[in-house]
Amino acid sequence: MNQAPARTGRGKLLKGATGDFEVVIGLEVHAQVTSNAKLFSGASTAFGGEPNAHVSLVDAALPGMLPVINEECIAQAVRTGLGLKAKINLRSVFDRKNYFYPDLPQGYQISQYKQPIVGEGTVTVDLPDGEQISVGIERLHLEQDAGKSIHDQHASMSLVDLNRSGVALMEIVSKPDLRSAEEAKAFVTKLRSILRTLGTCDGDMEKGNLRADVNVSVRRPGEDLGTRCEIKNVNSIRFLGQAVDYEARRQIGVIEDGGMIQQETRLFDPVRNETRPMRTKEEAHDYRYFPDPDLLPLEFDQAFVDGLAASLPELPDARKARFVAEHGLSAYDADVLVAEKESADYFEAVAKGRDAKTAANWVINELFGRLNREGKGIEASPVSSAQLGAVLDLIAEGVISGKIAKDVFEIVWAEGGDPRAVVEARGLKQVTDTGAIEAIVDRIIADNPAKAAEVAAKPAMLGWFVGQVMKASGGKANPQAVNELLKAKLGL
Ligand code: ADP
Ligand code: MG
């Protein structure tokens, strides 16, 4: 059963003591559906309410209550399936997955097993080195989330909060098509971007609204798939990379010591940066799935699907292609911008009516650089797209140089305000008055007779003079005027 072909390109193999190994990864991503109400009840899905404030009789599983499917959750799953270029199943079935846990009052989770709402699809993923891979989607199914057990608020009791109980989740299962921690991270990043663009999941990993079970195995190149371990509930992209790397290394160590990998469920501990066993296959649950007798099979027609397809927003791949074709951006820059919907929106607002490449450079280098240094996301940027646009206008009009523009950006970042007014108030306007520049040029030449004598033989020295004049003018002299004046005065 070698259904997963080897991809052994640059940097994809891990070196063991006895030779190379290939890592194989498949993900089961749980994405909380964006909806006002839960999957089978009218209770609110709002985050952060008082414990047990959003719990209907259905969510608390009181006897005799019946689940009623929320049509918006179905629409969200179909939209997501379309965004994953996947087969939409017009008929699917809800099953009971039976297990006992204090935060699961029904004693079973309503899920989809053999007949999910969405079948096979694909996600195209761009890697940092420019390579593009295609990752297969096995299925997407709808299921209920469980509640939360709280063990640290009472000396002798555990408490249960059912606010999350019954909230709709989409479980998105990838094929074992990923070959490195980098690929797994890029895949989840892309998937998150698709979901957020569709508006079907907010992608908030800190709140646990997007989390992944990570299946990892290793094999020698060309061999069949190895036995996998599943790392549960990884809730950050950085941890995902660390968990894969640690787990692959651990498995290679076991194999090279002559051991066998036990199929088991493990947990990633980010503090110690390691995975630890949780349960083995022998202790695994027998869920005794069966179709939920309270729910009819879920059926809708192609017209319902077509209607949703017609109103989908522009997805990241299409937006990236448009940025390249329409704005002349490089594929790399376009990719960086579409990774987050907010970044792409911000860029488009700045680029509107302006030079798009300059706009992309400023957004990617200055703005992202600054945001990263402070660990801020674009939605928290102190400089708005209108403010950055105004800075670019000032450069384009020759009012300030690119260098002064960076200072203006800093001032607006720290203090806010209209960039044009900032330039005016602080006297940052570029000096284009040649008389004023000429006086500085003359002074610098007079102060440096030895260098002025050398420059005829070494024209590269001109740069030194330009630098001195710019410095003396506080960066405000028009660089082109400086250049021309210096050339004329130095006889170049
Ligand atoms: P199960 O239903 O028992 O969890 P699945 O076949 O649904 O098993 O696989 C679950 C996940 O494990 C999928 O994402 C799949 O891609 C991944 N997977 C399956 N086999 C392997 C393997 N040998 N190595 C890594 N991942 C795997
Ligand atoms: Mg599974």
Side-chain angles (χ1 to χ4, degrees):
M1 186 192 67
N2 187 356
Q3 81 264 46
R7 200 164 42 236
T8 51
R10 189 157 53 90
K12 294 281 160 65
L13 294 180
L14 288 181
K15 290 226 171 311
T18 60
D20 289 340
F21 284 86
E22 186 184 33
V23 192
V24 175
I25 306 147
L27 298 180
E28 295 161 271
V29 176
H30 286 93
Q32 181 177 324
V33 174
T34 300
S35 65
N36 294 330
K38 295 183 179 181
L39 183 54
F40 297 111
S41 86
S44 164
T45 59
F47 180 81
E50 283 288 298
N52 299 308
H54 307 308
V55 185
S56 75
L57 300 175
V58 174
D59 310 319
L62 292 191
M65 292 299 134
L66 285 174
V68 177
I69 187 97
N70 176 345
E71 185 173 339
E72 179 54 15
C73 294
I74 299 168
Q76 292 289 55
V78 171
R79 287 187 188 103
T80 306
L82 293 168
L84 302 176
K85 301 189 206 93
K87 180 171 186 298
I88 309 297
N89 294 322
L90 301 181
R91 184 179 196 278
S92 62
V93 173
F94 284 100
D95 298 279
R96 289 185 180 181
K97 179 177 179 179
N98 296 278
Y99 63 99
F100 176 77
Y101 209 74
D103 59 23
L104 186 80
Q106 285 169 158
Y108 56 84
Q109 176 193 31
I110 306 179
S111 180
Q112 297 190 303
Y113 185 45
K114 293 266 167 66
Q115 293 175 266
I117 184 166
V118 175
E120 292 188 324
T122 18
V123 175
T124 306
V125 180
D126 292 284
L127 302 175
D129 65 3
E131 192 189 348
Q132 199 175 64
I133 59 170
S134 185
V135 179
I137 297 296
E138 181 73 45
R139 58 188 277 154
L140 175 159
H141 67 253
L142 278 168
E143 62 185 30
Q144 299 175 301
D145 205 348
K148 197 167 103 185
S149 300
I150 303 163
H151 304 295
D152 58 2
Q153 297 201 355
H154 194 279
S156 58
M157 280 192 280
S158 282
L159 305 176
V160 176
D161 176 5
L162 294 180
N163 280 350
R164 217 159 177 145
S165 166
V167 167
L169 299 179
M170 298 181 279
E171 179 170 334
I172 303 166
V173 183
S174 89
K175 303 210 172 183
D177 283 352
L178 298 158
R179 292 292 174 274
S180 67
E182 273 311 317
E183 291 191 6
K185 282 161 60 176
F187 169 71
V188 174
T189 304
K190 182 61 176 283
L191 183 61
R192 181 169 175 274
S193 165
I194 293 172
L195 296 172
R196 282 162 50 82
T197 303
L198 289 165
T200 58
C201 168
D202 69 13
D204 191 334
M205 299 186 80
E206 268 172 37
K207 287 192 189 140
N209 295 351
L210 187 74
R211 51 195 196 258
D213 296 343
V214 186
N215 296 272
V216 179
S217 65
V218 299
R219 63 177 172 184
R220 294 185 194 271
E223 280 183 354
D224 285 351
L225 286 179
T227 302
R228 72 187 147 109
C229 291
E230 179 176 356
I231 309 159
K232 278 283 180 201
N233 267 328
V234 177
N235 66 352
S236 104
I237 289 181
R238 191 161 56 90
F239 293 165
L240 167 61
Q242 291 173 350
V244 168
D245 281 335
Y246 175 86
E247 182 58 18
R249 283 282 159 212
R250 185 191 71 83
Q251 292 185 12
I252 291 170
V254 170
I255 292 169
E256 292 198 317
D257 285 347
M260 301 258 286
I261 301 300
Q262 299 282 344
Q263 183 167 342
E264 64 186 0
T265 305
R266 302 177 68 90
L267 274 183
F268 177 65
D269 176 345
V271 176
R272 297 168 73 169
N273 190 16
E274 64 179 25
T275 65
R276 281 199 299 273
M278 197 174 142
R279 55 176 184 254
T280 62
K281 199 179 180 187
E282 285 71 49
E283 312 156 27
H285 290 119
D286 172 6
Y287 292 120
R288 294 166 292 119
Y289 279 100
F290 63 88
D292 191 316
D294 289 340
L295 289 158
L296 287 169
L298 174 62
E299 291 183 311
F300 44 80
D301 56 14
Q302 189 59 39
F304 175 70
V305 179
D306 294 344
L308 294 168
S311 62
L312 286 189
E314 183 182 37
L315 288 165
D317 283 342
R319 201 166 195 191
K320 176 182 172 187
R322 188 166 60 74
F323 282 6
V324 171
E326 198 172 287
H327 296 310
L329 300 192
S330 69
Y332 178 79
D333 284 356
D335 198 56
V336 170
L337 291 169
V338 302
E340 295 271 355
K341 183 180 180 299
E342 287 81 358
S343 309
D345 291 344
Y346 188 106
F347 159 72
E348 285 214 283
V350 178
K352 193 160 194 248
R354 302 192 178 92
D355 181 60
K357 280 191 191 166
T358 310
N361 276 338
W362 271 82
V363 171
I364 293 171
N365 298 323
E366 299 308 319
L367 181 69
F368 288 2
R370 198 70 179 75
L371 288 168
N372 284 343
R373 260 184 285 146
E374 297 205 5
K376 284 195 160 97
I378 188 134
E379 65 291 342
S381 170
V383 178
S384 70
S385 55
Q387 285 168 317
L388 180 55
V391 173
L392 300 195
D393 289 343
L394 292 166
I395 305 176
E397 292 163 19
V399 176
I400 54 174
S401 66
K403 192 163 170 301
I404 291 287
K406 292 185 186 172
D407 298 341
V408 175
F409 178 85
E410 267 308 313
I411 295 167
V412 174
W413 176 283
E415 298 169 19
D418 168 25
R420 202 173 285 272
V422 166
V423 167
E424 201 63 54
R426 307 215 177 195
L428 294 173
K429 263 194 185 168
Q430 182 157 264
V431 180
T432 35
D433 163 14
T434 38
I437 300 175
E438 200 171 350
I440 303 175
V441 167
D442 287 342
R443 182 161 55 77
I444 300 281
I445 292 177
D447 287 352
N448 296 281
K451 288 216 161 66
E454 262 180 281
V455 78
K458 282 199 261 170
M461 282 265 305
L462 179 65
W464 182 84
F465 276 98
V466 174
Q468 293 302 306
V469 176
M470 291 304 291
K471 203 164 136 195
S473 77
K476 287 186 287 179
N478 178 316
Q480 204 178 337
V482 172
N483 244 291
E484 280 164 14
L485 275 167
L486 274 168
K487 278 190 184 160
K489 304 242 171 195
L490 292 167
L492 290 175

